[in-house]
Amino acid sequence: MKEIEATKKIMTHMYFILIEESQREGSFSSLQELHEKLDSRLQKLIKTDNNSSKLKTEILENFMMAVQWMRDKGIILYDSEDANSPLLVIKEKLIKNMAKL
């Protein structure tokens, strides 16, 4: 899987997480929480499609690269020097950049 494809998939799943959990108001308590939410969401796909296990692995392997790309684009805001830093998703930029990819 190309890195750009993995980034788009991560962004798409982030969008659905934020829609399904509207109380988040566009935020995650940390990168770890975002990773865990993505992992959980992708795990649900595996239960319905056995071929999704490889896809899940490929997506999660590109997680940090995608996070850095989104940070560079201003889609997410967080303190990269603090592992426990909260993370804010700018939904408008997330949607705009998903459409461009």
Side-chain angles (χ1 to χ4, degrees):
M1 170 180 297
K2 294 180 182 178
E3 292 176 351
I4 198 75
E5 290 174 30
T7 300
K8 188 169 185 175
K9 289 182 185 319
I10 289 169
M11 291 169 64
T12 301
H13 286 287
M14 282 174 55
Y15 175 78
F16 285 117
I17 291 168
L18 292 172
I19 294 299
E20 292 168 1
E21 300 179 21
S22 59
Q23 74 278 10
R24 293 192 159 279
E25 298 180 352
S27 66
F28 294 90
S29 63
S30 65
L31 278 178
Q32 181 63 34
E33 182 193 24
L34 172 57
H35 188 277
E36 289 168 3
K37 289 288 184 180
L38 285 169
D39 185 36
S40 175
R41 186 168 173 80
L42 293 168
Q43 189 62 38
K44 291 176 189 174
L45 293 175
I46 291 173
K47 291 179 182 177
T48 60
D49 178 8
N50 292 333
N51 295 327
S52 295
S53 181
K54 181 181 177 190
L55 178 64
K56 174 189 169 191
T57 301
E58 290 176 0
I59 290 171
L60 293 177
E61 284 175 351
N62 287 290
F63 177 75
M64 288 309 297
M65 180 277 314
V67 165
Q68 184 62 46
W69 184 87
M70 288 186 283
R71 184 169 182 256
D72 292 347
K73 295 287 185 185
I75 297 167
I76 59 173
L77 306 172
Y78 74 99
D79 181 356
S80 61
E81 301 200 6
D82 180 1
N84 296 317
S85 171
L87 182 140
L88 178 65
V89 179
I90 310 301
K91 288 187 210 177
E92 296 80 15
K93 288 187 178 185
L94 176 69
I95 294 166
K96 180 181 172 185
N97 280 278
M98 280 175 27
K100 286 183 179 180
L101 293 180

